[in-house]
Amino acid sequence: MEFTLDLNTIWFILIGLLLTGYAILDGFDLGIGALHLLVKEDIDRRIMLNSIGPVWDGNEVWLVTGGGALFAAFPHVYATVFSGFYNAIIMLLFMLIFRAVAIEFRSKRPMKWWRQMWDVAFSVASILIAFLMGVALGNIITGIPLDANKEYVGTFWNMINPYTVLVGITTVALFMMHGSIYGVLKTEGELNQRLKGWVNNSIIFFVICYVTTTMATLIYFPNMAKHFKDFPPLFALALINMLAIANIPREIHHGREFMAFLSSAASIASLLALFAVGIFPNIVLSNPNPEFSLTIYNAASSQKTLTIMLIIAAIGVPFVLAYTISIYWIFRGKVKLTNMSY
């Protein structure tokens, strides 16, 4: 496949960047949620919640923006995925809503059973959101049954198999690693020391899952490596990914927590770049009939629509970036509990 930087490719890259931004930003607060029940004291759980309190809902703006861009740029993909994966998407939305309610309701009452109930809800929802996103990525790699009309002809259970479950677990492990590093960045004292220990454990968990998933991908889905064989310089992405992961414990050891967080963010970005290169130019691979696959060309809007969207994105994206940077700047530093805290 010859690479051409046309409007279709530009929008494939832009949507990938939006979803990468979401994975990096919401990834750490989902990771905090996955680790939440490992903290036993109420005050420590409040610190964990308040570390993401000012930013968790803003992080989800990136998912909404990415979904909106997908709808406008590649409407056939949007229609096929949202109608075919209806049950899975409803489950995902339910978990996103349930998690938000848990964050808001948890500290409204002082009773232990009340707070424990919402703590469990918050943690379980965070894990399931990360897992479902991983399962979705796994299905894009394995391919899904599509007919000639670009419609999904499988069932909910067609999406669940050992490989997609493995990708789902790997995503949970990745976000746990990312969340533990963010926790170290935002806490101090005994909780900070405990989180530093979790960073090493979560890295080991993620590396085991990562190596297993990579081996399974190369054995069962060699098509994901085709572009890397055709254009060897792309292996630099895999090298960046491994170096970023290896740099995390080094930065934590030297007390450079922000650099460790940047390394973790780089590992997520490079992983998604490897995934994007592997599937290009497909967006949804059809299996067992690859000729029915949705690509950046047969699933795209008109060139006029893509051009107008590019102009709108050039105006709107700086506002999203400015909002995100300003929120993180205002709420920088270690978490301090006040009467207004969760």
Side-chain angles (χ1 to χ4, degrees):
M1 174 73 192
E2 186 179 347
F3 179 82
T4 306
L5 193 60
D6 52 20
L7 278 171
N8 302 59
T9 306
I10 288 172
W11 270 106
F12 178 77
I13 295 171
L14 286 177
I15 291 172
L17 289 175
L18 288 170
L19 296 180
T20 300
Y22 170 73
I24 291 173
L25 296 179
D26 211 30
F28 69 73
D29 68 57
L30 290 173
I32 287 286
L35 296 168
H36 188 69
L37 293 181
L38 298 179
V39 178
K40 301 303 178 186
E41 299 296 329
D42 182 68
I43 189 169
D44 289 340
R45 288 186 175 180
R46 289 187 65 203
I47 291 173
M48 294 279 278
L49 271 179
N50 282 280
S51 70
I52 64 169
V55 297
W56 68 268
D57 48 356
N59 294 339
E60 292 177 359
V61 168
W62 289 76
L63 178 63
V64 175
T65 308
L70 182 68
F71 169 71
F74 302 107
H76 292 301
V77 173
Y78 190 90
T80 299
V81 170
F82 274 69
S83 59
F85 293 0
Y86 186 78
N87 291 332
I89 288 174
I90 289 295
M91 191 184 300
L92 178 64
L93 290 175
F94 182 76
M95 286 297 125
L96 285 168
I97 294 169
F98 202 53
R99 180 172 178 267
V101 171
I103 293 173
E104 296 296 335
F105 277 28
R106 190 227 180 236
S107 298
K108 300 297 183 187
R109 292 287 184 272
M111 295 86 80
K112 187 176 180 180
W113 66 267
W114 173 270
R115 296 191 169 194
Q116 181 68 20
M117 177 180 70
W118 291 115
D119 284 338
V120 171
F122 171 59
S123 193
V124 170
S126 299
I127 293 170
L128 283 178
I129 291 167
F131 178 75
L132 287 171
M133 289 179 176
V135 169
L137 290 179
N139 273 281
I140 293 175
I141 294 172
T142 61
I144 59 174
L146 299 180
D147 63 15
N149 296 317
K150 303 183 178 69
E151 292 183 0
Y152 181 67
V153 291
T155 67
F156 173 79
W157 296 109
N158 286 119
M159 295 181 280
I160 306 296
N161 58 60
Y163 181 79
T164 58
V165 170
L166 178 61
V167 178
I169 294 172
T170 303
T171 306
V172 174
L174 174 64
F175 287 170
M176 287 176 74
M177 178 185 75
H178 198 44
S180 64
I181 297 167
Y182 181 78
V184 172
L185 192 63
K186 299 296 288 183
T187 60
E188 51 193 353
E190 187 182 336
L191 179 59
N192 179 272
Q193 294 303 313
R194 215 180 310 157
L195 282 164
K196 282 183 178 177
W198 293 356
V199 170
N200 291 330
N201 292 336
S202 59
I203 288 175
I204 293 170
F205 178 36
F206 168 66
V207 169
I208 292 171
C209 294
Y210 174 60
V211 171
T212 307
T213 304
T214 302
M215 290 175 62
T217 304
L218 294 176
I219 293 172
Y220 295 107
F221 307 100
N223 57 301
M224 290 294 289
K226 183 178 181 302
H227 294 313
F228 296 94
K229 292 177 181 174
D230 295 342
F231 192 61
L234 287 173
F235 276 105
L237 285 174
L239 184 62
I240 291 171
N241 182 243
M242 288 184 283
L243 289 175
I245 296 169
N247 192 48
I248 295 171
R250 174 174 169 272
E251 300 294 353
I252 291 289
H253 176 73
H254 290 291
R256 297 189 289 255
E257 297 154 356
F258 184 65
M259 293 303 295
F261 183 76
L262 290 182
S263 293
S264 181
S267 69
I268 294 175
S270 52
L271 264 177
L272 288 175
L274 288 168
F275 168 79
V277 170
I279 65 170
F280 185 85
N282 296 309
I283 304 179
V284 179
L285 178 66
S286 175
N287 185 12
N289 300 302
E291 65 272 20
F292 299 152
S293 297
L294 297 174
T295 72
I296 62 172
Y297 295 106
N298 69 9
S301 295
S302 67
Q303 294 296 297
K304 184 177 181 180
T305 301
L306 295 179
T307 303
I308 293 172
M309 283 178 57
L310 197 59
I311 296 170
I312 294 172
I315 298 171
V317 169
F319 286 103
V320 176
L321 285 173
Y323 162 80
T324 303
I325 292 170
S326 62
I327 290 297
Y328 278 86
W329 177 255
I330 291 168
F331 293 99
R332 67 188 183 280
K334 304 291 184 182
V335 176
K336 304 290 183 187
L337 294 182
T338 67
N339 292 335
M340 300 297 290
S341 302
Y342 288 112

